[in-house]
Amino acid sequence: MSTPYPFTAVVGQTDLRLALLLNAVSPAVGGVLVRGEKGTAKSTAVRALSALLPQVDVVPGCRFSCAPAAPDPVCPDGPHEPGPGAARPARMVELPVGASEDRLVGALDIERALAEGVKAFEPGLLADAHRGILYVDEVNLLHDHLIDLLLDAAAMGASYVEREGVSVRHAARFLLVGTMNPEEGELRPQLLDRFGLTVEVAASREPAQRVEVVRRRLAYEDDPAAFAGRWAGDEQDVRARVVAARALLPQVRLGDTSLLQIAATCAGFEVDGMRADIVMARTATALAAWAGRTEVRKEDVRQAALLALPHRRRRNPFDAPGLDEDKLDEILDGFPDEEPENDPDPEPEGPDDGGPEDGGPDGGGGGIPPQGGPEAPQAPEAPAPDEAPETREAPDSPAQQPASRDGAAPEQAAVRAAEPFRTKMLSVPGLGEGASGRRSRARTAHGRTTGAQRPRGQLTKLHLAATVQAAAPHQKARGRTGRGLVVRKDDLRQATREGREGNLVLFVVDASGSMAARQRMSAVKGAVLSLLLDAYQRRDKVGLITFRGSAAELALPPTSSVDAAATRLEQLPTGGRTPLAAGLLKAHEVLRIERLRDPGRRPLLVVVTDGRATSAGTAGSAGTAGSAGSAGGDPRALAGRSARLLQAEGVASVVVDCESGPVRLGLAGVLAADLGGPAVTLDGLRADSLAGLVKNVRTASDTHRRAA
């Protein structure tokens, strides 16, 4: 077994280590979500925590880690007779992102069921993690069905398994720790709220601290055992302090003033529900116990708020997590300090008291978490009123635009997006087989069972009834004599299920001069932002292409991070001619590459434009199919050819028509016909509009069938 990196050897990251230690002191706090850029010791610190947890006493032979003093009365391995327990280290169980449902919750032991005719339950990772740590790296990439199971277990402290004729319930109380890189996508709000605390981490910008990180890592890799030995004393000190804090925790008093401070803080920051109040109370109590006190103070409530509230204040995925500390201090200053009752005056040092060689800030029982993090997108400031350019609606004719030296509309500064709204459902027709999501119909590993078939390749989901039905007629011929069913490979049947998949939603946004009127572009950005929010909720990947001037640009390669797409959209300037063909050909190129990378994920192309084409332009790279993107030729004809190229390849498309004004040319509708999909206006995109629901995007094949 490899030697883990010592917890006390982690350089800096004071708030990360404090949050983990508070959960070690009081598992009722509810776990930790660690958000931050890659390479910031997130996983290293979490994996090192298990060595600091006290040992647990378990009933010998119990697969569900029942405590001898209070065994679970409905334990599947019970009932347990009174007797001495066996001590073992607390477990840290890792849940892989690609784990199956059976691996997480357990399942019927198919081999024993078929061979012996008995119902035997095989425990999963939730049983292994009971009374320990359940760690999910890249938790934001976890499949939705696994998230739902985690939510149920975290809420009830137990796992219920009802499947294939098996009904099992077992205790599943664990410390849930997740790490994630926000650039790869956000976490569902339901699971986000289940984490008691959240910490934003980032790599230090101090050269001395970075040098110390490298020095320690190289020393560990050269001789892990010797490196761990040098930190054994510090590890033992922290372990003893965790044990002492656990023993002191029941004696900590949470006074009425502290409770009022907690309630006023949660109300002042408009936090939904009551879970935040409860988590703050438990965290403040754990902070006092960690500091060796029996009375909760104002600084404990303040630190608890900084750890427990930032991720609960987000109203949509584009809001950066964080807390206004001035407002927090204003709320807390409205309450008098409670008088300490026989508390020791000196505050014990925090988790960073390993010596000056640490190179990080001292622990002090908890620092201030970075608010928003360096990766948090910052919206550009709105221009001052006297600096704002003309806000009149742009004339529909490109010839009437104010011209630059090349005859195109001059570039204008980026404008803010209008408020997002709930959009209508856009889905890809047909039945896909892509990643789990919430947009289009698909054959999935999870969903409602629609039938059974012979497995193609490896069997992944057994349809038990169909398998028994296939094997039953042959039992006499196979010489069955006992209880067990004689099953051969040809009898096995795979369950076919239908659910929803996530798609690749590729936005192609017109940023040319004809879109540059501030009111129009603000509305366009608001519509795209609304569609991005919808893509986030439906677990899609998103990409962003913009076109203006003489070329198209891939502003954001396909990603699961809608935050990044929203940031690119906010910073988007406008102006210049309209190279519509270049934008469509760039989309063709991006979709071709993504088809090779992720062939199961079907694309949905969303073209946001008024349909004008005033420049032939270029697609921005060589090798694009066809010659439509080359300079020269009629821009309108080139755009039509590019659109029909996408239609011929069966790309599902929708055109968001941004044309406005009393006189409309209807060019967006022509483009939609060339793409083989519908056109919807900005107003018609709203879910509450009366323009008619856009349920499906027609592909070229659908159009041909209707014409025939």
Side-chain angles (χ1 to χ4, degrees):
M1 181 179 177
S2 61
T3 304
Y5 193 90
F7 185 85
T8 52
V10 175
V11 178
Q13 306 298 10
T14 307
D15 302 298
L16 167 59
R17 292 185 289 143
L18 176 64
L20 292 172
L21 288 170
L22 291 177
N23 276 272
V25 171
S26 175
V29 166
V32 185
L33 174 64
V34 187
R35 296 164 45 94
E37 57 197 23
K38 50 189 176 294
T40 49
K42 301 188 298 292
S43 300
T44 299
V46 173
R47 292 189 174 100
L49 176 67
S50 59
L52 303 180
L53 298 181
Q55 290 191 328
V56 294
D57 291 330
V58 298
V59 174
C62 178
R63 298 174 297 168
F64 301 88
S65 301
C66 284
D72 186 355
V74 293
C75 174
D77 285 354
H80 299 300
E81 297 296 330
R88 64 160 176 79
R91 291 174 180 161
M92 191 193 74
V93 178
E94 292 197 43
L95 173 61
V97 171
S100 66
E101 183 178 341
D102 291 347
R103 186 71 189 98
L104 179 62
V105 302
L108 176 69
D109 189 332
I110 298 296
E111 184 177 351
R112 290 191 61 190
L114 295 179
E116 303 174 23
V118 298
K119 294 180 180 179
F121 179 71
E122 187 68 25
L125 295 178
L126 291 180
D128 293 341
H130 179 49
R131 303 176 67 196
I133 302 173
L134 182 62
Y135 172 47
V136 188
D137 193 13
E138 306 294 351
V139 63
N140 51 323
L141 303 182
L142 199 64
H143 289 300
D144 280 358
H145 68 282
L146 297 182
I147 288 178
D148 293 336
L149 294 171
L150 279 180
L151 288 174
D152 291 341
M156 297 182 291
S159 175
Y160 292 84
V161 184
E162 301 281 351
R163 54 192 305 176
E164 284 125 8
V166 174
S167 180
V168 174
R169 176 251 180 228
H170 65 82
R173 291 182 293 275
F174 46 81
L175 170 58
L176 180 61
V177 181
T179 56
M180 60 174 284
N181 183 350
E183 294 178 355
E184 297 174 339
E186 277 297 339
L187 199 60
R188 275 176 55 186
Q190 293 92 334
L191 183 57
L192 189 65
D193 189 53
R194 292 295 180 183
F195 286 98
L197 310 179
T198 185
V199 177
E200 295 279 336
V201 297
S204 172
R205 298 300 184 256
E206 293 293 330
Q209 195 171 84
R210 296 175 74 96
V211 167
E212 186 63 24
V213 171
V214 175
R215 181 181 292 121
R216 293 188 188 183
R217 189 68 201 185
L218 294 178
Y220 170 74
E221 292 176 353
D222 288 342
D223 192 342
F227 182 82
R230 291 199 295 272
W231 291 89
D234 296 313
E235 292 281 291
Q236 182 57 41
D237 290 344
V238 175
R239 190 179 299 110
R241 187 173 170 186
V242 170
V243 173
R246 278 194 173 188
L248 183 63
L249 188 65
Q251 305 172 37
V252 176
R253 176 179 174 271
L254 184 66
D256 290 341
T257 300
S258 297
L259 285 171
L260 283 172
Q261 290 171 343
I262 291 171
T265 300
C266 293
F269 283 105
E270 300 180 354
V271 177
D272 294 334
M274 295 298 299
R275 183 174 285 113
D277 302 65
I278 297 171
V279 171
M280 273 190 65
R282 290 170 175 168
T283 304
T285 304
L287 279 163
W290 176 252
R293 291 185 269 103
T294 58
E295 191 81 14
V296 173
R297 297 178 179 174
K298 182 188 293 184
E299 57 263 31
D300 299 324
V301 175
R302 186 182 194 279
Q303 181 65 68
L306 292 171
L307 293 173
L309 296 188
H311 61 300
R312 292 186 165 88
R313 295 194 62 246
R314 305 186 76 188
R315 292 295 181 263
N316 65 64
F318 311 131
D319 294 337
L323 216 60
D324 184 343
E325 295 189 44
D326 292 336
K327 180 178 179 180
L328 174 61
D329 291 333
E330 182 182 343
I331 293 173
L332 295 179
D333 288 344
F335 297 88
D337 291 326
E338 292 195 49
E339 292 294 329
E341 298 181 1
N342 301 322
D343 275 344
D345 289 335
E347 293 259 352
E349 292 185 4
D352 247 357
D353 49 82
E357 76 208 84
D358 195 348
D362 81 47
I368 305 303
Q371 299 307 308
E375 76 280 3
Q378 299 294 328
E381 293 186 2
D386 58 342
E387 297 173 351
E390 180 64 49
T391 59
R392 291 182 300 107
E393 180 68 17
D396 285 338
S397 173
Q400 297 175 354
Q401 295 280 355
S404 63
R405 285 184 299 176
D406 64 352
E411 181 174 309
Q412 297 188 20
V415 298
R416 288 184 178 273
E419 284 297 315
F421 51 84
R422 189 167 63 91
T423 65
K424 292 177 178 176
M425 175 66 171
L426 302 176
S427 63
V428 179
L431 198 61
E433 295 182 353
S436 177
R438 296 189 169 190
R439 184 172 296 278
S440 305
R441 293 176 56 229
R443 297 186 185 91
T444 59
H446 307 275
R448 62 186 184 90
T449 301
T450 58
Q453 63 182 14
R454 292 182 182 272
R456 295 177 292 181
Q458 184 178 2
L459 178 68
T460 57
K461 196 68 179 178
L462 180 72
H463 194 298
L464 186 59
T467 299
V468 172
Q469 187 176 5
H474 309 291
Q475 296 305 294
K476 185 175 181 181
R478 294 173 183 175
R480 172 185 170 185
T481 57
R483 294 180 59 193
L485 192 68
V486 181
V487 179
R488 294 179 180 172
K489 186 175 181 179
D490 290 344
D491 300 326
L492 298 178
R493 295 294 183 269
Q494 172 88 27
T496 57
R497 297 189 172 189
E498 183 177 315
R500 292 278 173 177
E501 67 176 0
N503 299 111
L504 166 59
V505 182
L506 182 61
F507 294 93
V508 181
V509 180
D510 185 348
S512 64
S514 64
M515 303 285 290
R518 297 180 64 84
Q519 292 178 353
R520 182 193 292 190
M521 200 60 202
S522 177
V524 168
K525 285 187 176 183
V528 178
L529 202 63
S530 304
L531 290 168
L532 283 172
L533 181 58
D534 181 68
Y536 161 76
Q537 294 168 341
R538 300 189 188 281
R539 315 302 289 172
D540 295 316
K541 289 179 69 175
V542 296
L544 177 63
I545 293 173
T546 64
F547 59 93
R548 65 189 182 94
S550 61
E553 175 190 4
L554 179 60
L556 181 71
T559 176
S560 296
S561 175
V562 295
D563 281 356
T567 304
R568 300 291 197 279
L569 186 69
E570 283 286 351
Q571 299 169 352
L572 178 65
T574 57
R577 294 185 179 276
T578 311
L580 178 56
L584 297 175
L585 286 176
K586 191 66 176 178
H588 178 272
E589 177 187 350
V590 171
L591 294 178
R592 177 180 59 82
I593 295 173
E594 284 301 309
R595 196 176 297 118
L596 298 175
R597 290 177 177 169
D598 191 356
R601 190 180 290 270
R602 297 186 295 164
L604 173 61
L605 184 66
V606 179
V607 184
V608 184
T609 181
D610 56 10
R612 289 176 173 82
T614 61
S615 171
T618 60
S621 65
T624 303
S627 59
S630 60
D634 177 37
R636 292 271 301 276
L638 293 175
R641 287 165 53 190
S642 303
R644 289 189 291 274
L645 175 64
L646 289 163
Q647 181 194 42
E649 296 193 355
V651 176
S653 307
V654 61
V655 176
V656 179
D657 184 359
C658 305
E659 191 174 29
S660 60
V663 179
R664 296 174 181 264
L665 303 180
L667 298 177
V670 175
L671 175 63
D674 287 334
L675 286 168
V680 56
T681 63
L682 289 175
D683 289 337
L685 193 61
R686 294 177 177 270
D688 55 356
S689 75
L690 301 177
L693 184 63
V694 181
K695 289 186 176 179
N696 285 305
V697 181
R698 302 180 189 130
T699 58
S701 58
D702 296 329
T703 305
H704 292 326
R705 278 199 298 270
R706 279 196 310 276

